[in-house]
Amino acid sequence: QGQLVESGGGLVQPGGSLTLSCAASGSIFAISTMGWYRQAPGKQRELVATITNGGSTNYADSVKGRFTISRLNAKNTCWLQMMSLKPEDTAVYYCKASAGVAIRWDYWGQGTQVTVSS
C-alpha cells in the first residue's frame, strides 16, 4: 500500500513559523513530483508549492518569499518551511506525490491542520 503521512501542523500566531513534513512509503515507486496543497473551509483546494525530482520548485503567488519546499529523494520525504504566517494561511495542508514510470499516479496524504490566529 502506498501512502503519505503529514506532520507538523498546529496553532501559531501571525508572523510565526511552522515546518510541515511528508513521508511517502517505500512502496511508492519513482516519485517525480512532490508538493503541498491546502484547503480552507468553503474554498477549493489550491496548490501551495511543488518540487520535482531534479529540485525545480514552483510556488503559489500568495506564499512566494515566505514558504520553502524541499525534499530528500532517497527517503521519499518532503518538507514545507512556512514563515511570516498570516491568518489567511489557515487551512488543512495536504501532501501530494506523483509517481510512476510509463503511467503516473497521484498519492495524497490525509492532511494536517494549520491554524494562524492570535
Side-chain angles (χ1 to χ4, degrees):
Q1 293 181 334
Q3 63 180 39
L4 304 177
V5 179
E6 306 104 328
S7 63
L11 175 65
V12 64
Q13 295 183 6
S17 302
L18 281 176
T19 298
L20 307 181
S21 64
C22 173
S25 67
S27 63
I28 300 179
F29 179 72
I31 297 176
S32 59
T33 301
M34 299 188 74
W36 290 92
Y37 296 72
R38 67 186 182 187
Q39 187 167 25
K43 295 185 178 181
Q44 295 269 53
R45 185 173 298 186
E46 64 177 355
L47 182 148
V48 177
T50 61
I51 183 168
T52 68
N53 183 269
S56 179
T57 58
N58 181 48
Y59 296 92
D61 289 341
S62 60
V63 306
K64 286 181 179 178
R66 300 189 298 119
F67 291 11
T68 301
I69 188 170
S70 59
R71 67 186 290 180
L72 183 61
N73 294 342
K75 298 190 68 174
N76 286 351
T77 304
C78 180
W79 295 268
L80 182 69
Q81 300 177 43
M82 306 184 293
M83 303 183 71
S84 301
L85 284 162
K86 307 173 181 179
E88 63 197 54
D89 295 318
T90 296
V92 177
Y93 284 70
Y94 298 89
C95 182
K96 175 187 174 183
S98 297
V101 183
I103 185 171
R104 291 195 298 174
W105 192 262
D106 292 338
Y107 298 82
W108 290 89
Q110 293 183 328
T112 183
Q113 177 71 48
V114 173
T115 302
V116 184
S117 176
S118 60

